[in-house]
Amino acid sequence: MTKKETWSQRFESALHPAIARFNASISFDIELIEYDLTGSQAHAKMLAHTGIISPEEGEQLVAGLEQIRQEYRQRKFQPGVDAEDVHFAVERRLTEIVGDVGKKVHTARSRNDQVGTDTRLYLRDQIQQIKSELREFQGVLLDIAEKHVETLIPGYTHLQRAQPVSLAHHLLAYFQMAQRDWERLGDVSRRVNISPLGCGALAGTTFPIDRHYTAKLLNFDDIYANSLDGVSDRDFAIEFLCAASLIMVHLSRLAEEVILWSSEEFRFVTLKDSCATGSSIMPQKKNPDVPELVRGKTGRVFGHLQAMLVIMKGLPLAYNKDLQEDKEGLFDSVNTVKASLEAMTILLREGLEFRTQRLAEAVAEDFSNATDVADYLAARGVPFREAYNLVGKVVKTSIAAGKLLKDLKLEEWQQLHPAFAADIYEAISPRQVVAARNSHGGTGFVQVNKALIAARAEIAQ
Ligand code: ARG
């Protein structure tokens, strides 16, 4: 169908050229072409299997569709705006290749169930790719964590120094976020992988089709139970956009930390030249563009989620052209998540070096061992709140005197409370402060080593 012609015999005149452009989705839904071809091949096989068309016709359709696939891959098939959308483009080319039998491919089908099928096949594939990218990202986090169990880094609450932690523990927090992201995509996938093919335009079809047959050929787990729901449901896309948004939330948190860590104020990491850029005016600068871009790109994925929710809100059954608007945001989200994961993985793998000397200084230069003094007394029978108040006092006088807790003399400790003994110095050393937090899931080295083993096993599955 070309839009110089009327839309169908029912119409008197052709579409206004601007309206044809406005209506067309070919510029973006061409992304779906391989899935459209696969879906149409399954549909043609089913038509032959059920006797709706002859076996020979079925074979001709399947072969013609395969030829289009080759033409597309060799860039010989590049439909323009006159084709309206990928579905029309394929049907038109198919008819050019196989002749009139091509006009049978759309028997017992509508573009409504067709586009739903294509989008699900696309998303199913993309989810697999994102899941394996997440695994790579997790693998790199683990590689670094395994080298830095004993490297300590200040831990923060309210972005104020709180208690030091093992750097491995810190990185494993991101591993866990990525693990949930990976699992979440698996959950989403279960609802993506349902076939709407055979729902027709909205009400099913008069032909004796076999929906389970096409579902099986296309490796769908199940079929939509209700045709109206099947053609108009986009829950699966919204769920994916939620999962994609959470991946970006997690990446942007790590990105923000890398940006902070690489600043002169923190100096916890050095950015290597392969992953940093300079300034066009300030010759001394090295900028963390990669994490900044990841942080920035997070916004567009959230936007696509919001847009999809609004598209669906109040949409009456069944298909409405509004649904054509599902694609660009979905494709962009997929591409953004993939590119961001890839960039962060490379950044971690080869673009970042932890400044261990500087980190060792950082954890020794503050009062982040104050809780351990209180815990020391509490372990010796002093009620915790009482101990807490005593330590608050000593922190105050130390700050006034320009001292750290480790600088206090034993007499000073004992004046504060007789329970203090010489082992207080060991108890408040950064290494011991970390080692002592050996509760399940804590930063103690024993716990962290266990967590590393569990994490390795998780991604080896
Ligand atoms: N290009 C359309 C879309 O993406 C295909 C379905 C068109 N269906 C229709 N009834 N006009 O949604």
Side-chain angles (χ1 to χ4, degrees):
M1 164 149 354
T2 80
K3 292 299 168 278
K4 288 183 200 86
E5 299 161 15
T6 59
W7 214 93
S8 75
Q9 300 296 316
R10 181 203 192 287
F11 290 77
E12 299 273 320
S13 63
L15 264 185
H16 187 290
I19 298 301
R21 279 196 301 279
F22 186 66
N23 204 37
S25 52
I26 187 74
S27 63
F28 51 86
D29 68 14
I30 191 71
E31 177 88 30
L32 296 175
I33 187 166
E34 297 255 357
Y35 305 101
D36 196 71
L37 294 166
T38 305
S40 290
Q41 285 177 320
H43 180 68
K45 285 180 192 168
M46 183 280 292
L47 291 178
H49 173 77
T50 51
I52 298 169
I53 62 175
S54 74
E56 299 72 38
E57 289 173 327
E59 278 161 30
Q60 278 175 282
L61 293 176
V62 171
L65 291 161
E66 199 53 34
Q67 182 178 327
I68 298 175
R69 194 190 299 280
Q70 297 316 320
E71 290 176 357
Y72 176 73
R73 288 183 183 173
Q74 293 157 10
R75 297 176 203 289
K76 287 187 203 146
F77 178 55
Q78 291 171 326
V81 64
D82 60 318
E84 185 174 325
D85 63 20
V86 66
H87 323 294
F88 275 141
V90 165
E91 186 177 335
R92 188 173 70 185
R93 180 70 194 128
L94 182 62
T95 305
E96 285 166 10
I97 295 172
V98 301
D100 277 352
V101 62
K103 296 177 184 168
K104 290 198 173 182
V105 73
H106 211 52
T107 313
R109 183 178 75 171
S110 155
R111 281 185 299 158
N112 299 349
D113 55 344
Q114 185 177 2
V115 72
T117 305
D118 295 2
T119 309
R120 285 167 180 82
L121 291 175
Y122 161 85
L123 196 53
R124 185 177 75 186
D125 256 16
Q126 297 299 330
I127 286 177
Q128 275 322 106
Q129 289 178 32
I130 296 171
K131 281 179 79 181
S132 58
E133 278 200 33
L134 276 169
R135 280 295 191 235
E136 271 199 50
F137 173 68
Q138 289 181 295
V140 177
L141 282 171
L142 275 189
D143 291 342
I144 307 175
E146 280 164 355
K147 287 193 202 111
H148 289 291
V149 175
E150 309 250 337
T151 304
L152 309 184
I153 185 170
Y156 297 81
T157 62
H158 313 270
L159 203 55
Q160 306 287 327
R161 297 262 180 103
Q163 291 166 357
V165 294
S166 155
L167 176 54
H169 192 57
H170 195 107
L171 296 172
L172 280 168
Y174 287 102
F175 177 95
Q176 293 298 337
M177 296 178 219
Q179 180 59 27
R180 288 194 297 278
D181 290 331
W182 186 88
E183 289 171 12
R184 196 167 3 253
L185 284 176
D187 294 342
V188 173
S189 215
R190 285 176 32 226
R191 278 174 299 278
V192 170
N193 206 26
I194 310 288
S195 174
L197 193 56
C199 288
L202 75 164
T205 172
T206 55
F207 290 92
I209 59 168
D210 185 343
R211 293 187 57 204
H212 290 287
Y213 190 83
T214 45
K216 193 156 183 252
L217 285 177
L218 296 170
N219 288 319
F220 280 115
D221 294 326
D222 205 349
I223 63 173
Y224 270 85
N226 179 291
S227 63
L228 294 161
D229 181 40
V231 289
S232 63
D233 169 37
R234 295 293 182 273
D235 292 3
F236 72 95
I238 294 175
E239 280 191 55
F240 170 77
L241 292 169
C242 285
S245 294
L246 281 170
I247 294 173
M248 294 307 291
V249 166
H250 297 151
L251 289 182
S252 73
R253 293 181 72 181
L254 178 58
E256 172 67 11
E257 296 214 280
V258 172
I259 294 163
L260 288 173
W261 291 344
S262 67
S263 71
E264 195 55 32
E265 283 65 22
F266 280 77
R267 288 180 289 123
F268 291 174
V269 297
T270 315
L271 294 174
K272 304 242 195 88
D273 293 355
S274 63
C275 294
T277 54
S279 153
S280 59
I281 169 171
M282 296 167 283
Q284 84 283 11
K285 291 205 66 184
K286 209 170 183 186
N287 295 329
D289 292 34
V290 172
E292 287 175 300
L293 273 174
V294 168
R295 189 178 58 183
K297 283 175 187 293
T298 301
R300 62 207 274 170
V301 178
F302 293 3
H304 296 318
L305 167 62
Q306 182 64 15
M308 194 67 228
L309 284 166
V310 176
I311 289 167
M312 293 310 291
K313 179 194 171 294
L315 200 69
L317 288 175
Y319 179 88
N320 298 270
K321 191 72 171 217
D322 313 44
L323 293 178
Q324 180 165 287
E325 287 292 306
D326 65 353
K327 289 171 204 60
E328 286 160 289
L330 189 62
F331 299 162
D332 186 61
S333 299
V334 163
N335 294 336
T336 302
V337 166
K338 279 163 62 177
S340 302
L341 268 172
E342 184 188 25
M344 285 301 277
T345 302
I346 293 171
L347 178 70
L348 290 177
R349 188 189 292 133
E350 57 189 74
L352 209 67
E353 202 168 355
F354 282 95
R355 302 174 64 169
T356 48
Q357 183 60 37
R358 161 69 192 144
L359 285 168
E361 288 161 18
V363 293
E365 72 193 14
D366 58 27
F367 288 87
S368 60
N369 49 4
T371 317
D372 297 79
V373 180
D375 285 354
Y376 179 97
L377 288 179
R380 282 157 186 78
V382 183
F384 180 80
R385 187 55 61 210
E386 204 177 298
Y388 169 94
N389 286 329
L390 271 175
V391 181
K393 215 158 64 186
V394 78
V395 167
K396 187 163 123 188
T397 53
S398 300
I399 291 172
K403 286 196 213 168
L404 292 169
L405 293 176
K406 65 175 183 212
D407 302 326
L408 296 186
K409 300 206 180 67
L410 187 55
E411 305 90 75
E412 293 175 280
W413 284 118
Q414 285 172 336
Q415 268 163 26
L416 202 67
H417 199 286
F420 283 115
D423 59 357
I424 180 64
Y425 296 101
E426 163 65 5
I428 63 171
S429 74
R431 200 180 178 285
Q432 181 53 27
V433 163
V434 173
R437 292 198 157 63
N438 207 14
S439 51
H440 203 123
T443 190
F445 302 119
V446 175
Q447 293 298 322
V448 171
N449 280 316
K450 271 197 215 164
L452 282 171
I453 291 169
R456 269 285 168 222
E458 186 63 55
I459 61 169
Q461 278 178 17

